[in-house]
Amino acid sequence: MVRFLRFIGVLMVFGVGFSPFLAQQLWNDPFIIMQAWWYKPAIFAGFGLIFVPAILSSIFGVGRVKTGLPAVGVIKSIQQTGTYINEQPEVRLSLTVSRKGREKYDTEMKTVIPLISMAQFQPGSFIPLVVSVKDERKVGLDLKGQLSQEDMQQLLDEKMVQQGVSPEMMDIARTGEKAMAKILDVTPLGNGGSNKIKLQLKLSITKTNGETFNVTTQKEILSSALPQVQQGHIINVIYSRQDPTKLVLALSVQERQLSDLFSS
């Protein structure tokens, strides 16, 4: 809408500004137009259509997405526009967007960020978003907490499946038995795909009743999670009640690892 109004404003300014030259050609008197009652108001209206919508958009958030579909975004780049609203900088964010049932895609948005919050909006940062129902390229910050924990878990599950995690492992993660495991040995087996590494792990697992058993398993993990999976470390695991040798690693997830997952 802002672009449309700006386009109309440019046409008005150009058309009204050109009219005296046309009057000169037709009647040899440009002042016929310049002294008309509508001439100056039309010029001012044209300039108003060019500048006022953009100003109102920045000040009052006209045209910004405030409600919509929950999503998550990873910041690819951030650039100040040079505009300040209430002494706070407006920035242009380049984002990779992920939402349920949709392949990730790139888009951009402009928003005003308080100076004290700038450190939270850096390349690689992970932010909650709302996506316009009418145009998925239009996104806004999720200021109302529309991205619930359930939404986040569904997005994570979907991403994990896309990354090659089997439905069986997803089911174990949801319904299995939690336990502690000591890493007895780690053997790298090479790259496992984008931002991932394949490992062979020998684990000593302690059940909640104190019983222990050993398991040797192969897992692919994000490269950024590798420091957690070292010989001698204690980690959380979830194993199948029916077959304890089948398990998933319950590693702590940091923002960087989420960024790797949602931008890979």
Side-chain angles (χ1 to χ4, degrees):
M1 179 59 72
V2 172
R3 291 183 179 179
F4 175 74
L5 293 176
R6 187 177 295 169
F7 176 71
I8 296 299
V10 170
L11 289 181
M12 287 183 64
V13 171
F14 179 79
V16 175
F18 182 76
S19 59
F21 297 97
L22 182 61
Q24 174 68 28
Q25 296 297 320
L26 295 177
W27 303 295
N28 199 32
D29 185 3
F31 293 100
I32 292 177
I33 297 296
M34 296 177 66
Q35 293 177 350
W37 67 268
W38 51 265
Y39 182 76
K40 287 185 178 180
I43 288 286
F44 292 143
F47 279 112
L49 287 174
I50 292 173
F51 296 109
V52 171
I55 295 173
L56 291 177
S57 177
S58 296
I59 296 177
F60 299 108
V62 176
R64 289 185 177 170
V65 179
K66 298 179 181 179
T67 60
L69 303 171
V72 295
V74 176
I75 299 176
K76 297 172 58 181
S77 66
I78 180 171
Q79 181 180 10
Q80 292 195 24
T81 65
T83 299
Y84 283 78
I85 308 299
N86 295 327
E87 300 183 353
Q88 306 299 330
E90 181 186 61
V91 298
R92 178 181 291 106
L93 299 176
S94 177
L95 303 164
T96 297
V97 180
S98 297
R99 61 186 179 88
K100 185 180 177 182
R102 173 75 167 84
E103 291 292 327
K104 65 180 178 64
Y105 60 92
D106 295 336
T107 191
E108 290 187 349
M109 64 171 288
K110 289 196 296 184
T111 188
V112 176
I113 298 176
L115 287 171
I116 60 174
S117 301
M118 285 295 290
Q120 302 174 30
F121 292 83
Q122 298 299 321
S125 293
F126 179 81
I127 57 176
L129 300 172
V130 287
V131 178
S132 169
V133 177
K134 296 181 179 179
D135 184 354
E136 67 176 13
R137 297 288 169 181
K138 295 181 179 179
V139 300
L141 293 179
D142 180 14
L143 301 177
K144 298 181 180 179
Q146 297 179 62
L147 183 66
S148 66
Q149 186 65 37
E150 182 180 355
D151 292 327
M152 188 67 217
Q153 187 60 56
Q154 290 176 351
L155 281 169
L156 282 171
D157 290 348
E158 190 173 273
K159 278 294 177 182
M160 294 301 290
V161 171
Q162 291 173 0
Q163 292 288 321
V165 178
S166 68
E168 181 184 23
M169 290 295 104
M170 296 297 296
D171 184 63
I172 291 174
R174 285 190 294 266
T175 64
E177 190 75 24
K178 296 180 180 179
M180 304 292 291
K182 182 177 181 179
I183 301 176
L184 302 178
D185 186 58
V186 181
T187 304
L189 299 178
N191 292 328
S194 178
N195 295 324
K196 293 195 293 186
I197 185 170
K198 190 173 183 179
L199 303 173
Q200 178 171 288
L201 303 172
K202 184 176 181 181
L203 305 173
S204 175
I205 299 174
T206 301
K207 297 182 179 181
T208 54
N209 62 4
E211 181 184 345
T212 63
F213 63 96
N214 291 347
V215 170
T216 299
T217 183
Q218 293 183 5
K219 296 293 180 183
E220 290 184 357
I221 65 170
L222 291 171
S223 299
S224 54
L226 185 59
Q228 299 181 56
V229 188
Q230 298 295 317
Q231 186 174 352
H233 284 195
I234 304 296
I235 61 174
N236 294 307
V237 298
I238 305 174
Y239 62 87
S240 169
R241 292 184 173 90
Q242 290 74 32
D243 184 355
T245 63
K246 295 181 179 180
L247 55 85
V248 296
L249 309 182
L251 303 176
S252 61
V253 179
Q254 306 298 324
E255 182 176 2
R256 179 185 170 191
Q257 293 157 17
L258 286 173
S259 296
D260 288 345
L261 181 63
F262 281 93
S263 59
S264 62

